Amino acid sequence: MRILFLLLVMVLSRWVTAQGPSRERISMDRNWKFHFGNASDTRLDFNYNINYNLSKAGSAKGCIAPDFNDSAWRKLDLPHDWAVEQDFVNIKNDGLQDHGFRAVGGLFPEKSIGWYRKSFFVSARDSGNRFSIHFDGIFRNSKIYLNGHYLGNNESGYSEFCLNVTDYLNFHKKNELVVRVDASQYEGWFYEGAGIYRHVWLEKTGPVHIAENGTYIRTNSANGSATVLVETDLRNNTFQASLEQIECYILDRNGKRVTGTVTVSVSMDAGGSVKSRHQLSVNDPILWSLENPYRYKLVTLVKQDGRIMDSTTTSFGIRTITIDPEKGLFLNGKPVKIHGVCCHQDHAGVGSAVPDALQFYRIRLLKEMGVNAYRTTHHPPTPELLEACDELGMLVLDENRLIGTSTEYMSQFERLILRDRNHPSVYMWSIGNEEGWIHSNDVGKRMALTLIQRQKELDPSRLSTYAADNGNYRPGINEVIPVRGFNYRITSIDDYHRENPGQPVYGSETGSTVCTRGIYIKDTVNGYVPDHDITYPSWASTAEQWWKPNADKDWFMGGFVWTGFDYRGEPTPYGWPCINSHFGIMDVCGFPKNNYYYYQSWWSDKDVLQISPHWNGSDHPSGWKMNDSVSVWCNSNAEEVELKLNGKSLGKKKMEKNGHLEWKVRYIPGKLEAFGIRNGKKLYASVETSGKSYKILLNPDRTTIQADGEDICVMNISVVDEKGREVSTAMNQLYFTLEGNGKIIGVGNGDPSSHEPDQYADGKWKRRLFNGKCQVIIQSGDQEGEIKFKASGEGMTIETLTLILTRGKSKKTFVAEKANQAF
């Protein structure tokens, strides 16, 4: 008995004194195996529903078993969206149409179950630590197994989740992680993808550690000083009580200390937890703003007898948000009108598996347009989207997936807030969107009150809103929500504000002009609508109709246009052959439509002068015949614009604030020119009749990328004629090859009715130009060197562009996949 006691003491001692800091976040994105299962035939689903997978601990059978032979499975890296790889199918079904006609979902059992397997090793040196596997997002209903043991499941396709695997790991042999993903059931009414489409991490901490999302930072600034309030959630996963010291200090962007160290001592019972509070002061702080999104770093150390047991570094911004019902939104005491967009998360070529660098690319495009706010419709975003908004200076309305107060939905809401509350870009929470069955009754009101109460408990520094599509109506959610959001019904906002003067008001979803880039006719056969601000659904409005009458109302906080980019699914106003929406200010590649320049004219400080349409003849679907009457639009912030055709003046017009100009012009081939004056500066724009495609132009967003196997180059492609004039109506088929340390991961062109593949498993990459443009997304390899990208087309010479791969300071480490890496 005494020997057993001594052994127990030795074990406990080893557990408690594991050396810190041991915290590490290790990527598990590389080298997975993938195979389809089957939702209707269990034999084709590796006998999942008939095997004894839950009868005994570790007894799982079939492909869940650790010794299962997966050598025939497909090898891939994460993030992965298998939906974007599937064919388009024309079956009359609302859900299928809303999801972009991809062969995934309940109608396609053979393509709606995906199995993933991952082998990895963990060193025996780490056996005294705590381990969790963290999934940023899986679409959709997922079940997780490790070494034959069932760990748990997650139902939402958008909520992160974390599973403690400490007791299940092998430290002297290989570990097998298995994920079964069931995308049979849709969650939204838009393209959602399928699979493990966000990152996966192995997280290691010591037994005494700061909890997941356990650091909460609030800031207040006044009179040249800032107060930083810190709350730390500390856990003691040992069998002994402990006494810890929690130290905090702040670094500036360059790593220089800007505060002293504040220390708080705490005691914890065995297996217990405690929350500590620190207060620090920063003199002459640099405030996070849209123009200068400056961030500091909070360093938190957990010490025991002078030894560091855990440490974290948390980025944050010092800024103050104020929302006033009569004066609107203020950031750091300065008024800000919301120039916002709603966005879904997919992009051309890659679907929902959007690389991190592509998130930054998309936010930069929006910033260039003059956008200052992003609504994450209609679900929690990927963490890298928020990182881009923090770094580039973009406010975020962070939206919950669905209103509900059951254990499941409350958990999703809590995970959203706990994860995102330290991001300075997040200025308000949205508890939900257009819950028409409940938002005007007492059920919705009670749910909203419960969610608001919980939000205030987890994050008292922000307010909540709700995106309501019920006009001038207050009973229900609207009567208890702190900030009233209007989805459309924009003509009702004045009456609502007059009747409810104490409640702030903004447009949570506005606009919804439908346009097809480069098309200027209604084409019901191909499913195209004109690329001018004239066509919109019955519930919505044009850009000018919603913005012009409301831009100068102080109490109106601004609004979020539906949408910043086209997205797969919801092909309004047509169905098949359309497979994605027309709502975007930019298409699904990020190529601007004409409304882009309307918003840029009035939302940015740039000098803007743009004329449309193209000036080509009848060889294009929306080309002009001689002497056709063409509606020529000018989007600009010039005070006055003169239009000329082939040198002849067609007249000058004064620009009305928040408006646009139009001329009716008889089509004659040649050159259409616009001359404007803004603040005494001359502005110029032109479109010109072009000849046939002659030369390919390659326009990369960058020519140097990181050799980390994850960074990307967005290659935008256009063509010019023999005289160097852009052929904005070109529809040529182009072909792409790549040599060197990288790969093509997706192609697109912005055509909402294109049924061309986004990805080519055989490596024979190609894409047709759509109105003069297409896009190729290139991903780097792991080695320094070069990538030679080549594009060719019939009648045009091969164009080559070289990308340079450099080894940067990558913060990411990868889990060991071989025994010698771990041991």
Side-chain angles (χ1 to χ4, degrees), residues 465-476:
T465 186
Y466 166 70
D469 185 18
N470 57 356
N472 184 16
Y473 191 81
R474 182 171 170 81

Side-chain angles (χ1 to χ4, degrees), residues 711-767:
D711 202 6
I712 64 158
C713 167
V714 179
M715 188 72 71
N716 292 323
I717 301 174
S718 57
V719 292
V720 294
D721 68 7
E722 224 171 338
K723 294 183 178 181
R725 299 170 297 196
E726 182 179 4
V727 186
S728 58
T729 54
M731 300 288 194
N732 306 70
Q733 179 75 63
L734 301 185
Y735 303 88
F736 315 111
T737 61
L738 187 146
E739 300 173 4
N741 186 28
K743 60 184 178 181
I744 298 172
I745 60 172
V747 292
N749 61 12
D751 181 354
S753 296
S754 172
H755 299 165
E756 301 167 273
D758 286 81
Q759 300 176 356
Y760 288 84
D762 61 2
K764 297 179 180 179
W765 292 91
K766 61 183 179 179
R767 193 67 169 192

Side-chain angles (χ1 to χ4, degrees), residues 452-753:
I452 294 167
Q453 180 184 22
R454 187 60 178 142
Q455 177 258 301
K456 289 180 178 178
E457 292 169 355
L458 297 176
D459 178 29
S461 71
R462 295 176 178 87
L463 295 177
S464 283
T465 186
Y466 166 70
D469 185 18
N470 57 356
N472 184 16
Y473 191 81
R474 182 171 170 81
I477 293 177
N478 289 338
E479 65 182 297
V480 297
I481 200 72
V483 181
R484 169 68 204 274
F486 267 79
N487 278 18
Y488 312 109
R489 323 301 173 188
I490 208 70
T491 57
S492 302
I493 64 168
D494 290 281
D495 290 340
Y496 188 89
H497 174 65
R498 184 171 54 255
E499 296 167 12
N500 305 278
Q503 188 178 32
V505 174
Y506 74 104
S508 44
E509 199 167 305
T510 61
S512 283
T513 308
V514 286
C515 304
T516 307
R517 178 180 58 79
I519 297 291
Y520 296 94
I521 59 172
K522 286 188 177 181
D523 182 346
T524 59
V525 174
N526 292 303
Y528 299 146
V529 283
D531 191 9
H532 277 147
D533 192 25
I534 56 177
T535 310
Y536 57 94
S538 60
W539 62 83
S541 64
T542 67
E544 197 166 331
Q545 283 172 351
W546 89 266
W547 179 249
K548 191 174 184 179
N550 297 301
D552 294 328
K553 295 172 181 174
D554 289 342
W555 55 266
F556 183 64
M557 289 166 53
F560 294 86
V561 180
W562 188 265
T563 53
F565 301 89
D566 279 347
Y567 55 93
R568 291 167 174 78
E570 281 200 299
T572 310
Y574 308 116
W576 185 270
C578 284
I579 47 84
N580 70 249
S581 78
H582 296 76
F583 292 116
I585 302 170
M586 290 176 274
D587 68 21
V588 73
C589 294
F591 296 132
K593 304 179 190 178
N594 290 320
N595 262 357
Y596 179 99
Y597 301 99
Y598 172 79
Y599 287 111
Q600 189 180 56
S601 296
W602 305 114
W603 283 6
S604 79
D605 293 328
K606 301 178 186 299
D607 295 320
V608 181
L609 179 58
Q610 181 257 357
I611 50 177
S612 60
H614 63 78
W615 209 242
N616 279 350
S618 57
D619 58 341
H620 184 263
S622 61
W624 321 116
K625 298 177 182 178
M626 187 66 72
N627 292 318
D628 275 354
S629 178
V630 180
S631 181
V632 175
W633 285 48
C634 174
N635 284 307
S636 179
N637 49 18
E639 293 106 24
E640 182 181 77
V641 177
E642 181 180 15
L643 191 68
K644 291 184 178 182
L645 176 59
N646 297 330
K648 180 181 178 180
S649 178
L650 303 178
K652 296 181 180 180
K653 294 190 177 185
K654 298 286 186 181
M655 178 66 73
E656 189 175 343
K657 184 180 179 182
N658 297 312
H660 76 282
L661 299 176
E662 287 186 54
W663 286 261
K664 289 292 185 182
V665 181
R666 293 287 180 185
Y667 176 70
I668 302 173
K671 192 172 188 179
L672 195 63
E673 299 174 286
F675 301 84
I677 297 290
R678 182 177 186 244
N679 297 326
K681 183 179 179 179
K682 294 181 179 180
L683 309 181
Y684 175 79
S686 67
V687 292
E688 190 171 358
T689 306
S690 61
K692 293 182 178 180
S693 301
Y694 176 77
K695 181 180 175 61
I696 300 170
L697 298 183
L698 303 179
N699 182 27
D701 73 314
R702 293 175 293 160
T703 55
T704 300
I705 58 177
Q706 298 297 311
D708 59 4
E710 298 186 348
D711 202 6
I712 64 158
C713 167
V714 179
M715 188 72 71
N716 292 323
I717 301 174
S718 57
V719 292
V720 294
D721 68 7
E722 224 171 338
K723 294 183 178 181
R725 299 170 297 196
E726 182 179 4
V727 186
S728 58
T729 54
M731 300 288 194
N732 306 70
Q733 179 75 63
L734 301 185
Y735 303 88
F736 315 111
T737 61
L738 187 146
E739 300 173 4
N741 186 28
K743 60 184 178 181
I744 298 172
I745 60 172
V747 292
N749 61 12
D751 181 354
S753 296

Side-chain angles (χ1 to χ4, degrees), residues 52-297:
Y52 282 109
N53 292 322
L54 302 173
S55 59
K56 297 288 185 180
S59 66
K61 309 296 183 183
C63 67
I64 303 172
D67 60 354
F68 176 80
N69 183 0
D70 60 14
S71 60
W73 287 26
R74 173 185 170 189
K75 184 179 178 180
L76 54 78
D77 295 335
L78 305 180
H80 173 234
D81 174 7
W82 83 66
V84 76
E85 303 168 353
Q86 306 311 308
D87 294 332
F88 299 101
V89 290
N90 183 14
I91 297 175
K92 189 172 180 58
N93 175 270
D94 289 344
L96 181 65
Q97 174 174 298
D98 287 345
H99 286 75
F101 293 102
R102 293 286 191 179
V104 174
L107 295 175
F108 309 95
E110 72 282 2
K111 295 293 185 180
S112 295
I113 302 292
W115 286 94
Y116 295 83
R117 286 175 57 90
K118 166 75 177 174
S119 301
F120 65 100
F121 291 85
V122 178
S123 171
R125 293 189 302 269
D126 288 323
S127 60
N129 290 308
R130 305 284 296 180
F131 287 87
S132 298
I133 296 179
H134 187 110
F135 296 89
D136 283 347
I138 302 175
F139 195 88
R140 182 185 162 268
N141 191 9
S142 57
K143 295 184 182 296
I144 318 299
Y145 301 83
L146 181 63
N147 298 328
H149 298 272
Y150 176 62
L151 300 181
N153 76 301
N154 189 65
E155 295 188 27
S156 175
Y158 304 100
S159 294
E160 67 165 16
F161 64 104
C162 192
L163 299 170
N164 181 4
V165 299
T166 305
D167 296 339
Y168 296 95
L169 284 174
N170 295 322
F171 292 100
H172 296 281
K173 61 179 182 178
K174 183 169 61 175
N175 293 277
E176 292 289 348
L177 177 64
V178 181
V179 181
R180 183 181 189 266
V181 182
D182 186 347
S184 302
Q185 177 67 56
Y186 300 133
E187 194 167 348
W189 53 99
F190 39 83
Y191 179 87
E192 300 183 276
I196 309 178
Y197 73 98
R198 294 180 182 175
H199 296 303
V200 180
W201 309 89
L202 179 66
E203 297 181 335
K204 180 182 73 172
T205 67
V208 176
H209 63 276
I210 298 168
E212 179 87 10
N213 298 318
T215 300
Y216 175 42
I217 303 169
R218 289 181 286 165
T219 66
N220 294 300
S221 60
N223 303 318
S225 179
T227 300
V228 180
L229 303 173
V230 180
E231 183 179 281
T232 306
D233 185 0
L234 191 63
R235 303 295 170 86
N236 175 20
N237 291 120
T238 74
F239 298 100
Q240 293 181 349
S242 65
L243 178 65
E244 317 291 335
Q245 294 77 45
I246 304 178
E247 298 180 358
C248 292
Y249 58 88
I250 295 173
L251 306 176
D252 68 9
R253 178 183 286 172
N254 299 315
K256 179 182 177 181
R257 282 202 189 205
V258 295
T259 69
T261 301
V262 177
T263 303
V264 173
S265 296
V266 296
S267 60
M268 290 185 290
D269 295 333
S273 65
V274 68
K275 289 185 178 180
S276 69
R277 290 173 174 80
H278 296 70
Q279 181 172 312
L280 301 96
S281 295
V282 179
N283 294 322
D284 299 318
I286 302 174
L287 303 183
W288 186 93
S289 66
L290 301 173
E291 301 77 23
N292 182 22
Y294 191 95
R295 286 187 292 171
Y296 292 89
K297 293 180 179 179

Side-chain angles (χ1 to χ4, degrees), residues 401-404 431-440 466-467 477:
R401 171 63 205 94
L402 184 146
I403 286 184
I431 66 170
N433 171 77
E434 293 185 359
E435 299 285 3
W437 281 264
I438 62 169
H439 66 188
S440 297
Y466 166 70
I477 293 177

